[in-house]
Amino acid sequence: MRILITGAHGFLGKHLVRNLLEKRHIPEKDLFLPKVQDLDLRKWEDCQKAVKNQEIVIHLAAVTGGIDFHQSNPGKIFYDNMMMGVQLMEAARLARVKKFISIGSATEYPEKSPVPFKEEDIWNGYPEDIHAPYSFAKKMLLVQGRAYSREYNFKAIHLLLANMFGPEMNLQSGYVISALIKKIDESQKTNKSFIDVWGTGQPARDFLYVEDAAEGVLMATEKYNKLEPVNIGSGQETSISNLAAILCRLMDFRGEIHWDHSKPDGQLRRLLDTSRAEKEFGFKAKTSLEEGLIKTIKWYKDLEK
């Protein structure tokens, strides 16, 4: 099968491509991995070029980042993600692509959604406000896929991913794990006795190791064909304060953590119920948070050698 992977050179994309080549032994010639410099998916013509002669589309490309980026760029985040996704799926339909996999986020759930988040609750309220522009742009791909299935018999699935982390993560993204690792490392290098961290530390997240995420996406690509969205997560919840304490221990940092209460926390809890993924296509995350953090810290330290 010829497979287009948008965002193939990003964090998740690199691990997904490696999985396809090394674990699933897909011939490299069957993968189309355009870079953002080659194709601008906000442009209709480039979406048409991207899907030409492709049979599977895995749409990973996204404009996103940490809380600060989402606060500062809500319009850009909404427009870029909406235009990329909606146009790409329409181009895929016209090109008779056999299956379209859109990658969404746990932020699509209502801010007050019962924990753990179950797929059937996704429309029961408004998302947390900071991430709403991104969330709705991604959520529309779920709507579009359902509409195209009914009218055109087009096959599309929508996956909701937890907070990913692991080697090759973007250290400039502002995501909590990469930000904490950098802060701890910089404090150690400058002999600071503390680190400053946004918020109160109370929010809790479902942290998913990136190799597990890649495997989950590919298992769904191979085996899942229903219209309902599916959660891909670890199924475990960790508070930001506990995460910071674990990282300090693993990196042997014995200084203090100063919480900046003037900065936003974001959604208080975000944990995915992963029972549907396990039932429908046998996915269950294998990597514990601590094991994944150890691998991530090693990768970060190796960058400095």
Side-chain angles (χ1 to χ4, degrees):
M1 300 284 271
R2 294 183 299 277
I3 305 172
L4 162 67
I5 303 171
T6 71
H9 305 278
F11 176 39
L12 175 58
K14 290 176 182 177
H15 290 271
L16 191 140
V17 170
R18 191 174 297 127
N19 185 309
L20 284 169
L21 295 173
E22 298 177 3
K23 185 174 179 179
R24 285 169 166 78
H25 306 294
I26 301 296
E28 192 168 358
K29 64 179 179 60
D30 290 341
L31 302 181
F32 182 34
L33 314 173
K35 295 182 178 179
V36 66
Q37 298 91 332
D38 303 323
L39 294 175
D40 182 348
L41 298 178
R42 295 171 301 179
K43 298 178 180 178
W44 170 246
E45 297 78 9
D46 282 0
C47 288
Q48 290 178 301
K49 292 175 185 176
V51 300
K52 186 177 180 180
N53 298 323
Q54 302 303 311
E55 296 174 274
I56 302 290
V57 173
I58 304 177
H59 180 42
L60 306 181
V63 176
T64 185
I67 289 179
D68 185 43
F69 181 77
H70 279 261
Q71 277 191 313
S72 304
N73 301 276
K76 174 180 176 59
I77 286 170
F78 177 81
Y79 180 85
D80 287 355
N81 286 296
M82 178 72 83
M83 295 304 290
M84 284 193 294
V86 170
Q87 292 192 124
L88 189 68
M89 192 182 295
E90 171 67 358
R93 177 187 74 84
L94 294 173
R96 300 185 182 279
V97 164
K98 293 181 178 178
K99 189 171 185 179
F100 190 103
I101 297 87
S102 61
I103 305 300
S105 163
T107 62
E108 293 178 38
Y109 279 97
E111 184 174 17
K112 305 298 184 182
S113 191
V115 179
F117 297 171
K118 296 180 183 290
E119 291 91 345
E120 54 265 32
D121 292 331
I122 195 167
W123 294 107
N124 292 343
Y126 196 82
E128 183 264 329
D129 192 61
I130 292 173
H131 289 95
Y134 177 78
S135 303
F136 275 113
K138 287 296 185 180
K139 222 167 178 177
M140 287 305 101
L141 297 179
L142 171 59
V143 176
Q144 187 180 11
R146 294 173 69 93
Y148 280 23
S149 174
R150 289 199 298 269
E151 184 169 352
Y152 307 121
N153 198 31
F154 184 73
K155 191 179 291 184
I157 64 172
H158 190 68
L159 309 178
L160 303 163
L161 268 62
N163 290 53
M164 289 181 294
F165 73 100
E168 298 183 273
M169 64 196 307
N170 183 353
L171 294 171
Q172 309 306 320
S173 67
Y175 287 126
V176 61
I177 289 180
S178 59
L180 284 171
I181 289 174
K182 282 181 64 179
K183 285 176 183 288
I184 293 169
D185 182 60
E186 289 167 2
S187 291
Q188 288 174 321
K189 288 177 178 176
T190 57
N191 294 316
K192 283 178 65 175
S193 61
F194 64 91
I195 57 171
D196 290 310
V197 185
W198 274 33
T200 64
Q202 294 180 10
R205 296 291 181 263
D206 182 335
F207 293 107
L208 178 64
Y209 189 61
V210 66
E211 291 180 10
D212 288 339
E215 180 65 19
V217 170
L218 292 175
M219 290 177 73
T221 300
E222 294 164 341
K223 301 176 182 179
Y224 188 71
N225 293 301
K226 296 182 180 179
L227 296 178
E228 292 79 15
V230 186
N231 292 331
I232 305 290
S234 73
Q236 303 295 319
E237 188 178 35
T238 305
S239 70
I240 304 303
S241 59
N242 192 33
L243 170 69
I246 294 170
L247 282 169
C248 286
R249 173 171 56 81
L250 293 177
M251 297 180 72
D252 196 28
F253 177 69
R254 301 178 186 182
E256 296 180 349
I257 301 173
H258 292 177
W259 298 99
D260 185 351
H261 291 203
S262 69
K263 301 296 185 182
D265 273 330
Q267 194 167 7
L268 186 59
R269 297 181 69 189
R270 199 180 292 155
L271 171 65
L272 297 179
D273 182 315
T274 58
S275 56
R276 179 177 290 178
E278 187 170 4
K279 177 184 175 182
E280 294 288 346
F281 47 90
F283 171 75
K284 191 169 185 178
K286 296 179 179 179
T287 310
S288 70
L289 176 62
E290 186 153 329
E291 180 186 353
L293 290 175
I294 290 169
K295 292 179 179 180
T296 306
I297 293 166
K298 181 182 183 305
W299 164 78
Y300 178 85
K301 294 294 187 181
D302 287 345
L303 289 177
E304 301 177 321
K305 293 180 180 178

